[in-house]
């Protein structure tokens, strides 16, 4: 035992996770139980996570009475202290096995709400999965119960339960068998077995499902709560619609703040101090300001054209602002559709075709309005655009067509690209898209003007 303990400690110290996992997987359940409960290694909870799921379950079954209680207490203590967590740079080769549902249930029941975050890290749940939202406030029944026994169970445990619009029927291993609505139980005949009441099939969530997908299911089905299981079907807890709505509100708030060109606020706007609010906004503004300096560089490249045809400078704000507006509009629509689960990367072809046609139509509408504006001003004498005013109007109209088209495609595709590489699409904020459209819009505008006005004004 001492030799094995020294070997395991050496592997932990050298962060040889692959070899450590192989050693733990090769142990039989009784040997593994003896090691994890008796050796003097601080990271015993980590060793337990390296066991295959079936072996971990066998380890728990091999422990009886006080030994099992002591083992679970040890896990809770180490989870609270975080000693099971390896250094961040050591995570690449670390492969943690799924924890048996029976142990997860004990940990969920014993650890307080303040310790839940550490627990979910120990279980390997990411911040975006549903596992971090599990609640244990539900009532479970055995299939052999009668309706009277079910009511007795409700009276016994209902006071400490957040809600029990649904009851869950489980077997001896806590595998979910069926769900029963309170209405179904109230209408059932006295003495009727629970196994004959309720639905055999119901919507069940997996603990590793993404929150966005779960939110979409709540929106479509409208339940008050849904059960959550592990991969083996063991009932871990429930997730309520209120919790989903709260998360959605937080994520929507974060997205809106990012779309506006600001970092996420930890507190509400009214509770955020001034000297905390300014840094949240300054970062993006500085980046955007530096980016906008490219606009001046782009205009400097066309100094000769502006000097020979000053009239072109009159339409610079008009033309490039529409590129930014159309891009920001497209980005907002796509970001919202992604958040609601209406779009995914599989729809990129659909989005491209739709935004291409939208950009062409919007650009044609704005280009026609721009041309008509020049015609009216020239005809009424409000402004004289010179002898080649018609070509100036054509240059503005065609520029608007391509700038709006480009802005629309950029706003939509940047959002999808960020989603594809795993970043938050909300970072394709309106100011960022507008800045990109400003710089590229100038290049498009003066290139089109050079095409139509060379040999005339240029």
């Amino acid at each position: 035992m001492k030799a094995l303990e020294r070997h395991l400690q050496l592997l932990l110290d050298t962060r040889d996770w692959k070899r450590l996992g192989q050693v733990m997987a090769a142990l039989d359940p009784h040997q593994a139980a003896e090691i994890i409960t008796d050796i003097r290694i601080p990271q015993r909870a980590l060793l337990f996570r390296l066991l295959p799921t079936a072996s971990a379950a066998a380890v728990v079954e091999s422990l009886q009475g006080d030994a099992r209680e002591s083992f679970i207490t040890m896990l809770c203590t180490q989870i609270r202290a975080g000693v099971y967590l390896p250094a961040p740079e050591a995570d690449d080769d670390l492969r943690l096995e799924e924890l048996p549902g029976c142990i997860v249930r004990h940990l969920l029941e014993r650890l307080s709400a303040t310790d839940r975050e550490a627990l979910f890290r120990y279980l390997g749940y990411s911040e975006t999965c549903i596992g971090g939202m599990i609640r244990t406030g539900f009532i479970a029944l055995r299939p052999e119960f009668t309706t009277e026994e079910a009511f007795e169970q409700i009276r016994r445990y209902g006071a400490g339960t957040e809600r029990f619009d649904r009851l869950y029927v489980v077997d001896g291993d806590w595998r979910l068998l069926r769900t029963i609505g309170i209405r179904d139980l109230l209408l059932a005949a006295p003495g009727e077995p629970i196994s004959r009441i309720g639905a055999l099939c119901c919507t069940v969530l997996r603990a590793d499902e993404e929150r966005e997908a779960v939110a979409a299911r709540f929106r479509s089905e409208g339940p008050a709560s849904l059960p959550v299981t592990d991969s083996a079907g063991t009932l871990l807890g429930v997730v309520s619609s209120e919790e989903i709505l709260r998360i959605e509100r937080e994520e929507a708030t974060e997205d809106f703040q990012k779309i506006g060109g600001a970092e996420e606020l930890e507190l509400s706007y009214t509770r955020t101090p001034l000297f905390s609010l300014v840094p949240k906004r300054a970062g993006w503004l500085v980046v955007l300001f530096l980016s906008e300096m490219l606009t001046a560089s782009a205009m400097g490249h066309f100094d000769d054209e502006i000097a020979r045809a000053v009239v072109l400078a009159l339409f610079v704000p008009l033309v490039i602002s529409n590129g930014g507006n159309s891009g920001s509009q497209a980005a907002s629509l796509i970001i919202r559709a992604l958040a609601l689960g209406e779009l995914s990367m599989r729809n990129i072809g659909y989005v491209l075709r739709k935004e291409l046609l939208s950009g062409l139509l919007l650009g044609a509408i704005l280009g026609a309005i721009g041309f008509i504006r020049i015609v009216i001003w020239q005809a009424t004498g409000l402004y004289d655009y010179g002898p080649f005013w018609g070509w100036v109007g054509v240059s503005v109209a065609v520029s608007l067509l391509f700038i709006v088209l480009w802005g629309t495609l950029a706003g939509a595709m940047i959002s999808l690209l960020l989603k594809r590489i795993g970043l938050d699409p909300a970072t394709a904020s309106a100011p960022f898209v507008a800045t990109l459209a400003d710089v590229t819009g100038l290049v498009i505008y003066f290139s089109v003007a050079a095409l139509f006005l060379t040999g005339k004004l240029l």
Side-chain angles (χ1 to χ4, degrees):
M1 178 67 74
K2 289 294 183 182
L4 180 56
E5 180 177 338
R6 288 194 298 270
H7 183 50
L8 291 173
Q9 187 64 66
L10 176 63
L11 294 176
L12 283 166
D13 293 340
T14 57
R15 298 188 179 96
D16 190 349
W17 308 117
K18 185 176 181 180
R19 179 58 184 158
L20 187 60
Q22 292 172 346
V23 172
M24 293 302 298
L27 300 174
D28 65 67
H30 292 285
Q31 191 178 15
E34 185 179 359
I35 288 172
I36 295 172
T37 54
D38 294 341
I39 62 174
R40 299 179 179 273
I41 292 180
Q43 302 96 328
R44 286 183 290 171
L46 176 58
L47 295 179
F48 186 59
R49 283 301 315 274
L50 293 170
L51 288 171
T53 305
S55 298
V59 166
V60 177
E61 290 176 2
S62 69
L63 300 172
Q64 301 296 327
D66 292 341
R68 178 179 293 192
E69 184 69 21
S70 175
F71 176 75
I72 295 172
T73 300
M74 178 274 295
L75 284 182
C76 290
T77 301
Q78 293 210 327
I79 288 170
R80 290 190 187 100
V83 296
Y84 60 87
L85 292 175
E89 65 272 13
D91 285 346
D92 290 344
D93 297 326
L94 188 61
R95 296 291 180 267
L96 300 179
E97 301 289 340
E98 184 180 19
L99 209 61
C102 58
I103 288 296
V104 176
R105 286 201 44 75
H106 284 298
L107 295 176
L108 283 169
E109 291 170 355
R110 297 190 183 207
L111 291 171
S112 65
T114 55
D115 296 321
R116 288 283 174 84
E117 184 177 348
L119 172 60
F120 298 138
R121 287 202 305 272
Y122 177 65
L123 295 176
Y125 297 143
S126 70
E127 293 182 356
T128 60
C129 74
I130 203 67
M133 302 168 65
I134 295 174
R135 296 293 177 266
T136 56
F138 65 92
I139 294 178
L141 306 172
R142 297 296 185 195
E144 64 271 15
F145 282 6
T146 63
T147 52
E148 284 84 357
E149 290 173 317
F151 284 122
E152 180 60 31
Q153 193 84 339
I154 292 173
R155 283 189 287 269
R156 182 180 303 172
Y157 299 106
T161 303
E162 295 178 9
R163 62 189 312 153
F164 43 87
D165 54 300
R166 290 188 182 191
L167 309 173
Y168 301 95
V169 182
V170 297
D171 63 13
D173 295 321
W174 280 86
R175 281 190 291 268
L176 182 62
L177 302 178
R178 64 198 302 127
T179 60
I180 300 175
I182 282 292
R183 183 176 184 275
D184 295 329
L185 182 62
L186 291 172
L187 295 177
E192 186 170 358
I194 289 300
S195 57
R196 297 180 184 176
I197 308 172
L200 285 173
C201 299
C202 67
T203 299
V204 178
L205 305 178
R206 280 275 299 273
D208 55 358
E209 286 191 60
E210 290 294 315
R211 290 178 178 178
E212 289 185 6
V214 171
R217 293 169 74 172
F218 267 90
R219 284 193 298 269
S220 62
E221 300 176 26
S225 63
L226 287 175
V228 182
T229 69
D230 63 7
S231 62
T234 304
L235 181 61
L236 303 180
V238 298
V239 171
S240 68
S241 57
E242 289 89 347
E243 187 72 6
I244 290 290
L245 290 173
R246 182 185 66 80
I247 294 296
E248 281 199 301
R249 282 196 298 270
E250 290 177 358
E251 292 181 348
T253 299
E254 178 185 346
D255 288 346
F256 279 125
Q257 289 167 352
K258 289 181 178 179
I259 289 173
E263 295 180 30
E264 177 190 1
L265 301 180
E266 286 78 15
L267 302 174
S268 67
Y269 176 80
T270 55
R271 295 170 59 195
T272 302
L274 175 63
F275 292 104
S276 297
L277 181 63
V278 171
K280 295 287 187 181
R281 300 169 66 175
W284 259 110
L285 289 178
V286 170
V287 171
L288 295 171
F289 175 75
L290 296 174
S291 302
E292 285 285 8
M293 291 174 67
L294 296 174
T295 304
S297 301
M299 290 192 70
H301 182 72
F302 295 101
D303 271 346
D304 293 340
E305 286 81 358
I306 295 174
R308 284 181 285 171
V310 179
V311 68
L312 293 177
L314 298 175
F315 297 99
V316 168
L318 170 70
V319 171
I320 64 174
S321 65
N322 281 283
N325 291 341
S326 62
S328 301
Q329 189 183 70
S332 300
L333 292 172
I334 298 301
I335 290 170
R336 184 59 177 163
L338 288 170
L340 293 175
E342 298 171 353
L343 291 178
S344 66
M345 290 307 300
R346 296 192 301 271
N347 306 118
I348 188 170
Y350 167 79
V351 173
L352 182 61
R353 291 191 301 272
K354 193 166 189 174
E355 292 304 313
L356 179 63
L357 292 174
S358 297
L360 285 172
L361 292 173
L362 293 170
I365 291 170
L366 296 179
I369 294 173
F371 184 80
I372 293 171
R373 187 262 194 200
I374 292 174
V375 171
I376 293 174
W377 260 243
Q378 182 73 29
T380 58
L382 291 175
Y383 193 89
D384 183 8
Y385 295 105
F388 299 105
W389 64 268
W391 288 107
V392 172
V394 170
S395 299
V396 170
V398 175
S399 297
L400 278 169
L401 173 64
F402 285 107
I403 289 172
V404 171
L405 173 60
W406 164 244
T408 300
L409 290 175
M413 292 300 109
I414 288 174
S415 302
L416 290 172
L417 175 63
L418 290 172
K419 179 73 171 179
R420 178 67 181 85
I421 62 179
L423 298 178
D424 189 346
T427 54
S429 60
F432 176 76
V433 174
T435 301
L436 176 64
D438 285 352
V439 177
T440 53
L442 279 173
V443 176
I444 294 173
Y445 174 49
F446 285 109
S447 298
V448 171
L451 177 66
F452 287 105
L453 296 177
T454 298
K456 301 176 182 66
L457 290 178
L458 303 177

